[in-house]
Amino acid sequence: MTIFSFFSRASRAFHGSPAYSKLLLISTLSGGGLLAYADSQSDVGGSVEESPKKRVLVLGTGWAGTSFLKDLDASKYDVQVVSPQNYFSFTPLLPSVTCGSVEARSIVEPVRNIVKKRKGEIKFWEAECLKIDAANKKVFCQSNVDNNLVGNREFALEYDYLVIAMGAQVNTFNTPGVKENCHFLKEVEDAQKIRRGVIDCFEMAVIPSLSEEERRRNLHFVIVGGGPTGVEFAAELHDFFEEDLVNLYPSVKDLVKISVIQSGDHILNAFDERISSFAEQKFLRDGIDVYTGCRVVSVSDKEIEMKVKSTGESCSMPHGLIIWSTGIMTRPVVKDFMEQIGQGSRRILATDEWLQVKGAQNVYAIGDCATIDQRKIMEDIATIFKAADKDNSGTLTVTEFQDVLDDILIRYPQVEIFLRSKHLRDVKDLLRDSQGHENEIDIEGFKSALSIADTQMKSLPATAQVAAQQGAYLSRCFNRRDYCTENPEGPRRFKSSGRHQFLPFRYKHLGQFAPLGGEQAAAELPGDWVSMGHSTQWLWYSVYASKQVSWRTRYLVVSDWTRKFIFGRDSSRI
C-alpha cells in the first residue's frame, strides 16, 4: 500500500469524526513523520454532513406526555421535555392516597427513570411553561425550584415539532369562595393536603372545649361533584372512618357526616344507568347523603350555599372540609396560545383527527388540554359523491358506493356509529327503498342517506385512558414519519389526489371502573357488559396493578393494599 492510498483511506475514515477532520498524522515505514492538514471540505467527492435531527419539544409528563415518551424512538429526534413535576403520577389512585389506602410515593415514578430506558437521549427540565410563541417556534419556561440557588431560572427552547400535553386545571365556574375554601383533587400534592385535612378535622373535633354543634361541623365532609373522582373519594372516606378512625376516635363516631352534591339528576351520570342506580343505593345504605339537582352558588369558611334547580330554593349547610371535583378548564398558557392561532373564541384547544393543532403547523396537542374537532361528513358530501361517481352518471351504484365506503368509515367514524345504531349490516341497506329493492341514488339521495350521521359525533372524555391512547398513537406517527411519507397509510383524500399520510386517531374504549367502598366496585366494560359487587373490586385491583408505569410502583401499590388489609390505614398526620 502506498502512502498516498493510505492517506486517502485514513482521511475518509477521519472525516466521519468531526473531532479529527482537521488534522491527520501519518507515520511512514521508514520511521519518518508526515504531518498533513486535511480539511473535510477539500476532499474530492467528500462526504456530506448529515442534517441535524428535528427537535421535538414535549410539554407535560402526565398520561399523554409519558405515554408518548415511552413509545417514541428518541434516536430519530432531538427530544426535550419540560414539566413542572419531575415525576409521573398514576392519577386514578389519588382518592386512595387521600385516606392512606395507598401511599403517595407508591403511585409516582420519576420522569428521569422513565426516559433513561428509552432508545436514544431524552433531555428533561423541571420547569413551568410560561408562554408558547407559535410564530417563532419558541417556548419560554421558568424553573419552579423556588429557593436561594444561584442562576437564572428563565430560559427559552426552540422546536421543530411541539407536543402540548399540559393537561387542564380545575374548573371553579367562578363560584365565590371556592379557591379559598375548597380542596381540589388533581395532583399528588392535593391528595396529601386532603389526607392531612381529614386527620385535622378529627383531631380538632375531640378537643374538650368544643360544643357538639362545632364537632358536627368539623366532621361534616362535603364532596361537590358526583363524577368518578368525587364518588370514589366519598367511598374511600367512608371506609377510612368505618374501618380505622371509628376505633381511634370513638367519642365522635356518631357525629361524622359525608355529603355529595351533584348538579345532575344522578351521580356517575357518564356511566350506565344501572351503575348510577347501584351507586346511589349503596351510598344510601352506607349513610352517605346524596343531593342531586343542586348547584353550589358560594362557599365560605363555615358554610356552603347551594340552590335546588327544580324549585329555585336556596339552602346552606356547615362544613369541615370540602372537596371540589366538578370538571376541568383550559390552562392560561394554553388559552394564550389559542389566541395566537385564531382559536380564542373556543373553550378548549382544537386538533384535527391526526392530533395536530388547527391553525398551527407542526404543533400537536394530546390529553386533557385539547379536543378532537372531528370533521363532519356533510361538509364533504358533494366531494365524496363526485369522487365515487366514476362514470359521471350523476348516480351511485352499490359497487361505486362500496369502493369509497372503507375510506369514509376511516375518515368519518361517526358513519360507522350511525350504521351500528341503525343495525345496518351492509351498505346495500342504505340504498334499498321501502320495498327492499336496491336502487342507484343521486346526490340528494346520498345526502339523505347520511344526513344524520354527524349527530353521532361525541367528544372524547377527559380520562387517563384517552390521554394514554393519544400519546401512544402520536409516538407511532413520529416513529413512522419517514416511512409513511413515501408510503401513506391513511384514508383517501377526497378533495385531492393521494391518501393521508397517517391513519386518523381512533379511540378504543376499554371500560371504566367506579370503586364504591366496602370492597365493592362497578365496572362498565366493552360489549355493554356491566359488573358490580365484590368480584368487580378484585378485577379493579388486578387491572390497576397491571397498568402501573413500572415494576417498582406495581410492587409498592400491591404492598400498600396488603398492608391495609393486615394493619389498616395509617392515620398519622404526615
Side-chain angles (χ1 to χ4, degrees):
M1 180 188 298
T2 67
I3 185 172
F4 299 105
S5 63
F6 178 83
F7 177 87
S8 177
R9 292 186 182 183
S11 178
R12 285 196 297 270
F14 275 90
H15 276 301
S17 177
Y20 301 104
S21 61
K22 298 296 182 182
L23 188 64
L24 184 64
L25 178 65
I26 301 177
S27 297
T28 64
L29 295 176
S30 62
L34 174 64
L35 186 64
Y37 181 81
D39 191 340
S40 60
Q41 301 299 325
S42 64
D43 234 5
V44 178
S47 61
V48 179
E49 186 177 350
E50 292 186 5
S51 59
K53 296 179 181 179
K54 295 291 186 180
R55 295 163 297 187
V56 178
L57 178 56
V58 183
L59 302 179
T61 53
W63 280 93
T66 301
S67 179
F68 174 76
L69 293 171
K70 284 184 65 178
D71 295 329
L72 179 67
D73 184 356
S75 64
K76 296 181 177 181
Y77 301 94
D78 177 10
V79 185
Q80 303 171 349
V81 185
V82 174
S83 176
Q85 286 95 24
N86 70 346
Y87 58 83
F88 163 80
S89 59
F90 192 86
T91 52
L93 284 178
L94 285 180
S96 297
V97 174
T98 62
C99 297
S101 299
V102 172
E103 293 299 325
R105 289 192 177 275
S106 299
I107 67 166
V108 300
E109 182 72 12
V111 173
R112 297 184 187 276
N113 282 0
I114 297 173
V115 300
K116 75 177 183 181
K117 302 174 184 177
R118 300 301 99 205
K119 182 181 180 181
E121 181 185 6
I122 299 178
K123 302 171 186 175
F124 172 76
W125 292 281
E126 183 180 355
E128 190 84 34
C129 175
L130 301 179
K131 184 178 179 64
I132 300 171
D133 186 352
N136 298 308
K137 291 190 173 183
K138 273 188 177 181
V139 171
F140 297 91
C141 309
Q142 183 181 62
S143 171
N144 61 354
V145 178
D146 190 13
N147 54 28
N148 295 325
L149 297 178
V150 299
N152 187 5
R153 298 172 58 206
E154 297 184 357
F155 60 96
L157 298 171
E158 297 181 346
Y159 64 84
D160 295 304
Y161 299 106
L162 178 64
V163 179
I164 305 174
M166 302 172 67
Q169 65 183 20
V170 176
N171 192 350
T172 65
F173 301 97
N174 296 319
T175 306
V178 170
K179 291 183 179 179
E180 298 82 4
N181 301 297
C182 295
H183 290 270
F184 304 132
L185 191 49
K186 282 283 292 178
E187 310 290 347
V188 173
E189 292 84 356
D190 297 333
Q192 292 174 315
K193 289 179 182 178
I194 293 172
R195 181 173 177 177
R196 290 192 293 268
V198 170
I199 300 302
D200 285 347
C201 289
F202 278 89
E203 291 293 349
M204 188 63 190
V206 296
I207 296 296
S209 58
L210 268 65
S211 65
E212 182 172 326
E213 182 182 351
E214 290 172 328
R215 299 181 202 278
R216 288 185 182 276
R217 186 178 77 81
N218 289 335
L219 294 176
H220 186 195
F221 301 93
V222 180
I223 297 96
V224 181
T229 301
V231 167
E232 186 172 349
F233 172 73
E236 282 280 356
L237 182 60
H238 177 267
D239 284 357
F240 189 23
F241 171 68
E242 290 291 334
E243 297 172 8
D244 300 280
L245 297 182
V246 68
N247 299 317
L248 302 176
Y249 304 92
S251 62
V252 295
K253 64 179 181 180
D254 297 325
L255 307 180
V256 178
K257 183 179 180 181
I258 302 173
S259 299
V260 178
I261 300 174
Q262 166 71 343
S263 61
D265 296 331
H266 299 280
I267 60 174
L268 297 178
N269 50 18
F271 283 71
D272 187 280
E273 61 180 11
R274 290 169 288 180
I275 292 179
S276 296
S277 177
F278 179 80
E280 289 174 354
Q281 292 173 10
K282 186 179 186 308
F283 276 14
L284 179 63
R285 293 194 302 270
D286 291 342
I288 300 175
D289 295 333
V290 178
Y291 299 89
T292 56
C294 296
R295 182 174 63 88
V296 175
V297 294
S298 67
V299 181
S300 69
D301 59 342
K302 294 183 175 61
E303 290 186 329
I304 180 170
E305 298 280 343
M306 59 184 183
K307 179 178 289 187
V308 181
K309 289 184 176 180
S310 59
T311 62
E313 178 186 357
S314 297
C315 58
S316 63
M317 63 174 69
H319 66 80
L321 184 142
I322 298 181
I323 307 299
W324 188 272
S325 178
T326 60
I328 57 176
M329 63 181 294
T330 304
R331 295 185 184 275
V333 63
V334 178
K335 193 67 179 176
D336 175 74
F337 173 67
M338 292 168 63
E339 296 283 351
Q340 297 179 46
I341 61 174
Q343 292 194 27
S345 60
R346 296 184 58 92
R347 291 186 299 174
I348 187 170
L349 185 62
T351 72
D352 60 20
E353 298 87 339
W354 292 268
L355 307 183
Q356 182 160 335
V357 174
K358 292 191 169 184
Q361 187 177 12
N362 294 334
V363 179
Y364 302 84
I366 52 180
D368 295 352
C369 67
T371 186
I372 297 175
D373 191 9
Q374 173 65 48
R375 188 168 180 83
K376 296 180 179 179
I377 188 172
M378 295 308 294
E379 295 176 353
D380 301 328
I381 197 73
T383 305
I384 295 173
F385 184 89
K386 184 178 179 180
D389 186 16
K390 295 180 180 179
D391 58 3
N392 295 319
S393 63
T395 59
L396 291 186
T397 64
V398 173
T399 301
E400 288 176 327
F401 196 2
Q402 285 179 322
D403 285 342
V404 297
L405 182 62
D406 288 342
D407 291 309
I408 290 175
L409 295 180
I410 295 173
R411 182 68 179 85
Y412 310 94
Q414 63 267 34
V415 175
E416 182 178 358
I417 299 174
F418 165 68
L419 294 176
R420 287 204 306 263
S421 68
K422 293 296 184 181
H423 304 289
L424 301 179
R425 293 175 295 179
D426 195 289
V427 66
K428 297 177 182 178
D429 295 334
L430 283 174
L431 306 183
R432 287 194 175 99
D433 58 20
S434 57
Q435 283 75 38
H437 301 124
E438 295 178 9
N439 297 316
E440 297 184 3
I441 57 173
D442 57 13
I443 181 64
E444 294 303 321
F446 191 55
K447 289 180 180 179
S448 177
L450 298 174
S451 60
I452 63 173
D454 289 330
T455 62
Q456 304 297 315
M457 294 193 304
K458 294 181 180 179
S459 298
L460 296 178
T463 63
Q465 187 176 164
V466 172
Q469 290 187 28
Q470 288 180 339
Y473 163 83
L474 189 60
S475 66
R476 179 182 179 275
C477 292
F478 272 74
N479 293 342
R480 292 168 54 85
R481 185 179 296 277
D482 292 339
Y483 175 80
C484 290
T485 299
E486 301 295 331
N487 305 278
E489 64 180 12
R492 175 179 177 180
R493 295 180 184 270
F494 290 109
K495 289 191 174 182
S496 60
S497 60
R499 308 184 73 84
H500 288 279
Q501 184 175 3
F502 302 108
L503 291 168
F505 172 74
R506 183 71 68 90
Y507 170 62
K508 183 178 181 180
H509 185 59
L510 302 177
Q512 53 187 345
F513 287 92
L516 301 174
E519 294 302 313
Q520 294 191 60
E524 184 178 302
L525 303 174
D528 195 30
W529 181 32
V530 172
S531 176
M532 294 170 286
H534 295 284
S535 59
T536 308
Q537 178 69 26
W538 287 102
L539 178 62
W540 178 84
Y541 282 132
S542 61
V543 170
Y544 275 34
S546 65
K547 292 296 181 180
Q548 295 299 312
V549 72
S550 69
W551 280 102
R552 184 189 71 87
T553 56
R554 189 172 294 121
Y555 169 79
L556 291 174
V557 166
V558 173
S559 298
D560 287 344
W561 286 333
T562 305
R563 183 255 311 154
K564 181 193 73 170
F565 282 118
I566 299 175
F567 301 107
R569 299 168 181 83
D570 183 9
S571 61
S572 302
R573 189 191 180 280
I574 299 177

